[in-house]
Amino acid sequence: MSDVAHLAGVSTATVSRALSGRGATVTPETRERVLRAATDLDYHVNHLPRNLRLRSSRIIGLVISDIENPYFTAVARSCEDVAQRQGYHLVLSNTDEDAGREVASLLTMTAERVAGVILASTGQSNEGVRRLLATGIPVVALDRRIEGVDVDAVTVDNEASAYQAVSHLIGLGHRRIAIIGGPRTASPISERQSGYEAALRDHGIPVDQRLVRQADLREHGGHRETLHVLDLEDPPTAVFSVNNLTTIGVVRALRDCNLHFPAQLSVIGFDDSPVAALLDPPLTVVDQPTRQLGARAAELLLRRVERPDAPVQEVILPARLVVRGSTGPPPDPA
Amino acid sequence: MSDVAHLAGVSTATVSRALSGRGATVTPETRERVLRAATDLDYHVNHLPRNLRLRSSRIIGLVISDIENPYFTAVARSCEDVAQRQGYHLVLSNTDEDAGREVASLLTMTAERVAGVILASTGQSNEGVRRLLATGIPVVALDRRIEGVDVDAVTVDNEASAYQAVSHLIGLGHRRIAIIGGPRTASPISERQSGYEAALRDHGIPVDQRLVRQADLREHGGHRETLHVLDLEDPPTAVFSVNNLTTIGVVRALRDCNLHFPAQLSVIGFDDSPVAALLDPPLTVVDQPTRQLGARAAELLLRRVERPDAPVQEVILPARLVVRGSTGPPPDPA
DNA sequence: TTGAAAGCGCTAACAG
DNA sequence: CTGTTAGCGCTTTCAA
């Protein structure tokens, strides 16, 4: 940088002003000279000292629980689009639903003084979040609320969408509807279960706890729990799967049992994908607004980076039931 | 930090040595005192000055062309696992096959002085790579070679695997085999096309250019090009799709035309996934070793971070044909 | 509008 | 083994 200053015949302060041009006042002519000198010397700014001086970087962290889940990658993509447009870069970190990894990630991000963090928390510890906030780094909760801290959040109206999905099944005549759920610690999952229970209750159908299963949020869990409910003496006529990965397991289980949907069993999954529409028949699903989730989260975060003490905001987005071929009336009573 | 030094009754240099403990020599007793002081004051190290001083961060960049492609997320996951185990963090950047975004990403990573970069290049410009290397930041090519620069690389033996896939079809009796390819600029794609041509040639089958299609690497392209070849007066009896996203389009096109595989047309796709096995019948695919690709790339990079002038290494991993139900003998001549 | 100079908070020579 | 000291390369007051 001092080389550039020399060549342009100015001070390093002026080079800085000319190049970063942040509200700085430089003669167009001086700027021109500096720019040319920088080009001639193939000079490119180094962010390390800048970050130190500014006590922050233009990087925002996105911490998700499963990088291989299309739901999160869709969210990540839209986050990145928004961030990039504002001149921020995205650091992606994958926790695998492991609270320890989550904390470790957040501590590193704190140490690196990222500009802010968007977090889909495992919900098992908020130590990492507390340190971020203590260091003055804003946090936006994505997909899941974070217990015990008051931060901006972008979530989906899980209860309403589950209610709608289950009501659809009830409307088709189903009475025995299984739910393949997950750990209650994740708020979206427990909200979907609540929506399921509310829909049954409102239609005068008692909740049969044997039909309420908790799987891991993987294909394996969906497969196992589906086999479990199919094995009951009074099996369900419909299955509501609350997660895209478990849905794959559900479909595989039906395939294994040689059961066809919707003739023998109706299926509703969560999250849409090109492949959901490719199954035969195509899957009825609850489609989450992933694009918007990511974009809104990034917007909320960047807004707060600029105005750290704006009022806390919570955005709840609606999901939408996409009715396709995997749901139909229950089979005639055996 | 100076607060901690005060409380522990030592200098900041000793605090640094005690906390980062890099080959540093501190009495266990002193370290103990420093650690306690740090805990008492809730002190946590700030990487910004450290990065400046060390002229580098412990962050490695991973630049991919499509964050929503399961192939790349699987690679990213294994990269991150390896990196994290060595105390590095991963910055993920998505270029969307856009050379401009690729260059911009690499310039930012250069400015942030990441420890190294793993790059699946669009192959349209190596300006970003040149600046990285000029700044002394190592680069590993992933999936695709980078023209004009001599760097470590981890790729798949695309030609051999395509050869194997097409030979499988020929062995079943197919003679008219279409390939749904992509832009030749991406080396894996053009290698797969070469493998396709070699297999035909070795079996005495002429290459019919009307069956060689170049799609974008998206679902849409696969769909369109499949419809195109099906519309020929002499349509193929088998389709080889060289990309996981185009394969989805291929399957959708067959669905649209009410064609069943393998009875009326055999299909081979690229990249395995839980869903490929769920289609009815399940898809025959070329399964790339994504786990290994990511892990080897990260290992190569970290090795080079430590020994910058080790000899350049190129790792070529084999892919494997997984024969399932979507391939069978061609239909009886009409 | 520009320059001089101070400093961001660590790390690493060097001396003791 | 530990302290002193000198930076890392920018940004930003403050004064001219």
Side-chain angles (χ1 to χ4, degrees), chain B residues 75-185:
Chain B
V75 168
R77 168 183 232 124
S78 53
C79 271
E80 200 195 11
D81 284 346
V82 171
Q84 215 159 77
R85 223 169 299 134
Q86 313 256 14
Y88 286 81
H89 267 244
L90 203 69
V91 184
L92 206 109
S93 191
N94 180 221
T95 66
D96 255 333
E97 297 285 357
D98 176 333
R101 285 179 70 167
E102 176 180 318
V103 172
S105 247
L106 296 179
L107 293 186
T108 304
M109 288 181 179
T110 308
E112 296 285 345
R113 298 293 190 271
V114 297
V117 171
I118 298 171
L119 169 65
S121 175
T122 65
Q124 285 149 259
S125 157
N126 58 19
E127 182 191 337
V129 175
R130 274 188 278 111
R131 178 158 333 288
L132 279 165
L133 296 175
T135 312
I137 299 174
V139 174
V140 171
L142 172 76
D143 182 64
R144 317 171 181 189
R145 272 184 216 86
I146 306 171
E147 297 298 319
V149 293
D150 192 31
V151 297
D152 297 317
V154 183
T155 55
V156 165
D157 193 343
N158 288 291
E159 180 158 353
S161 58
Y163 187 97
Q164 194 188 352
V166 174
S167 297
H168 168 67
L169 291 170
I170 296 171
L172 288 167
H174 294 273
R175 288 299 173 268
R176 291 193 60 71
I177 301 171
I179 178 169
I180 309 295
R184 285 259 176 188
T185 47

Side-chain angles (χ1 to χ4, degrees), chain A residues 138-156:
Chain A
V139 175
V140 170
L142 171 76
D143 182 65
R144 317 172 181 187
R145 274 186 214 85
I146 306 171
E147 297 298 320
V149 294
D150 192 30
V151 297
D152 297 317
V154 183
T155 56
V156 165

Side-chain angles (χ1 to χ4, degrees), chain A residues 1-6 9-19 34 43:
Chain A
M1 184 157 174
S2 66
D3 292 347
V4 176
H6 256 112
V10 297
S11 70
T12 58
T14 301
V15 173
S16 170
R17 287 189 274 248
L19 294 180
V34 172
Y43 169 83

Side-chain angles (χ1 to χ4, degrees), chain A residues 65-269:
Chain A
S65 54
D66 184 1
I67 194 182
E68 292 192 72
N69 186 327
Y71 167 73
F72 282 119
T73 56
V75 168
R77 167 184 231 123
S78 52
C79 272
E80 199 195 12
D81 285 346
V82 171
Q84 215 158 77
R85 224 170 297 135
Q86 313 257 16
Y88 286 81
H89 266 244
L90 203 69
V91 183
L92 205 108
S93 190
N94 180 222
T95 66
D96 256 333
E97 298 284 358
D98 176 333
R101 285 180 69 164
E102 175 179 318
V103 171
S105 249
L106 296 179
L107 294 186
T108 305
M109 290 182 177
T110 308
E112 296 284 345
R113 297 296 189 268
V114 297
V117 171
I118 298 172
L119 169 65
S121 174
T122 65
Q124 285 147 261
S125 158
N126 57 18
E127 182 190 337
V129 174
R130 275 188 277 113
R131 178 159 333 285
L132 279 164
L133 296 176
T135 312
I137 299 174
V139 175
V140 170
L142 171 76
D143 182 65
R144 317 172 181 187
R145 274 186 214 85
I146 306 171
E147 297 298 320
V149 294
D150 192 30
V151 297
D152 297 317
V154 183
T155 56
V156 165
D157 193 344
N158 289 292
E159 181 158 353
S161 58
Y163 187 98
Q164 194 188 351
V166 174
S167 297
H168 168 67
L169 291 170
I170 296 171
L172 288 168
H174 293 273
R175 289 296 173 273
R176 290 193 60 71
I177 301 170
I179 179 170
I180 309 296
R184 286 260 177 187
T185 47
S187 63
I189 302 298
S190 73
E191 288 162 20
R192 288 168 202 170
Q193 297 200 191
S194 303
Y196 161 86
E197 288 165 13
L200 292 181
R201 219 178 19 247
D202 288 357
H203 291 85
I205 303 172
V207 175
D208 181 343
Q209 287 302 334
R210 290 170 309 157
L211 296 182
V212 178
R213 308 302 307 169
Q214 304 212 353
D216 59 10
L217 299 176
R218 304 281 161 83
E219 181 186 353
H220 175 72
H223 184 253
R224 198 186 51 208
E225 297 304 328
T226 303
L227 292 180
H228 180 91
V229 295
L230 291 176
D231 207 40
L232 293 173
E233 55 185 301
D234 192 7
T237 62
V239 174
F240 174 44
S241 166
V242 304
N243 171 272
N244 55 356
L245 267 25
T246 53
T247 305
I248 296 175
V250 170
V251 173
R252 190 158 58 81
L254 299 186
R255 177 79 37 89
D256 290 352
C257 298
N258 206 22
L259 285 175
H260 294 275
F261 53 83
Q264 291 160 287
L265 196 85
S266 287
V267 175
I268 296 187

